[in-house]
Amino acid sequence: MKFIKISVAVVVITLAGCVSWVFAKSPFNNMPEGEYTLDLSHASVIWKVSHLGLTNYVARFADFDASIDYKPNNIEASRVVATINPMSIQTAYPNADEKDFDQILATDEDWFNAPKFASIDFASTSIEMTGEKTALMQGDLRFLGVSKPVTLDVIFNGAMERQPFSGKPTMGFSATTTIKRSDWGMSKFVPNIGDEVKVMIEGEFAKTQ
């Protein structure tokens, strides 16, 4: 009986701790100013494109990085930069490792042409707050040697002045954008493989100590 009581007490304490974490979120303008770097263990860059109008083919990049120069007193003056390794494509293509599909897609001159263009780069140029936790972020996307403006719809998911696991000030965001790959010179198989590519981004950013 004593063991049961102790076990119940432990569960209650644990749940109380979890609840306190949930309610430990902070307003974004209370977060400290400075550089925030991406927590790669809690981030993703996923994209999808139409295949013959029948399905959306989904893939992701596994190697990428990003940072935020954060200005809490003027969030719209903050700046975001990001880079993606095009060779890090991951697909659900059957036996992808055996057929080298990922590398063919990345290295083919009609696709990502990674030997010549080793990174996909983004730098924000403006941030417009559209709500308490939403924004439109404009920026330049450099891809296949071409730089063009893109707009991302950003959702501010939450912020913690002290994230319980890392102990660091941390902010979390979701973002989406849709681009036409042909605008950057990737027109192979359009329109059978869709021109429009939807990109979905998730990320937690921790304050650099």
Side-chain angles (χ1 to χ4, degrees):
M1 189 67 176
K2 184 177 180 181
F3 174 77
I4 294 175
K5 289 181 178 179
I6 293 174
S7 298
V8 171
V10 170
V11 171
V12 170
I13 291 171
T14 301
L15 289 174
C18 291
V19 170
S20 69
W21 292 349
V22 170
F23 289 99
K25 289 183 179 178
S26 172
F28 283 93
N29 55 10
N30 283 355
M31 299 296 288
E33 183 174 355
E35 184 182 18
Y36 287 72
T37 55
L38 186 65
D39 175 1
L40 292 173
S41 61
H42 299 96
S44 61
V45 178
I46 298 171
W47 49 271
K48 64 181 182 179
V49 61
S50 173
H51 181 259
L52 301 175
L54 300 175
T55 59
N56 286 306
Y57 192 84
V58 179
R60 67 191 298 151
F61 293 108
D63 183 10
F64 54 93
D65 204 0
S67 64
I68 303 173
D69 181 11
Y70 187 63
K71 310 290 185 184
N73 296 325
N74 183 9
I75 293 176
E76 294 184 337
S78 301
R79 189 167 184 268
V80 178
V81 294
T83 184
I84 296 170
N85 174 9
M87 284 292 290
S88 68
I89 293 171
Q90 292 181 346
T91 73
Y93 195 79
N95 304 314
D97 292 338
E98 295 178 17
K99 297 182 180 181
D100 291 328
F101 181 81
D102 294 26
Q103 291 191 16
I104 291 171
L105 183 57
T107 59
D108 190 314
E109 290 186 2
D110 292 324
W111 292 109
F112 289 94
N113 197 4
K116 185 174 181 179
F117 304 104
S119 68
I120 300 168
D121 302 302
F122 172 84
S124 68
T125 54
S126 69
I127 298 173
E128 176 190 354
M129 298 299 298
T130 56
E132 185 179 349
K133 293 187 176 183
T134 58
L136 291 176
M137 181 165 61
Q138 308 282 345
D140 292 324
L141 179 66
R142 186 165 183 80
F143 173 42
L144 292 176
V146 178
S147 184
K148 287 186 173 291
V150 297
T151 301
L152 287 85
D153 291 294
V154 181
I155 298 175
F156 295 69
N157 295 321
M160 291 182 172
E161 293 184 57
R162 186 180 184 278
Q163 202 258 36
F165 299 110
S166 68
K168 298 178 181 180
T170 303
M171 300 181 288
F173 303 89
S174 300
T176 59
T177 188
T178 300
I179 66 170
K180 284 190 174 182
R181 59 190 179 93
S182 61
D183 288 346
W184 281 263
M186 186 192 286
S187 57
K188 188 172 185 176
F189 297 149
V190 172
N192 292 324
I193 294 179
D195 193 9
E196 289 193 347
V197 181
K198 183 171 183 179
V199 183
M200 297 153 286
I201 302 164
E202 299 286 340
E204 290 184 19
F205 292 78
K207 177 78 166 59
T208 303
Q209 298 297 325

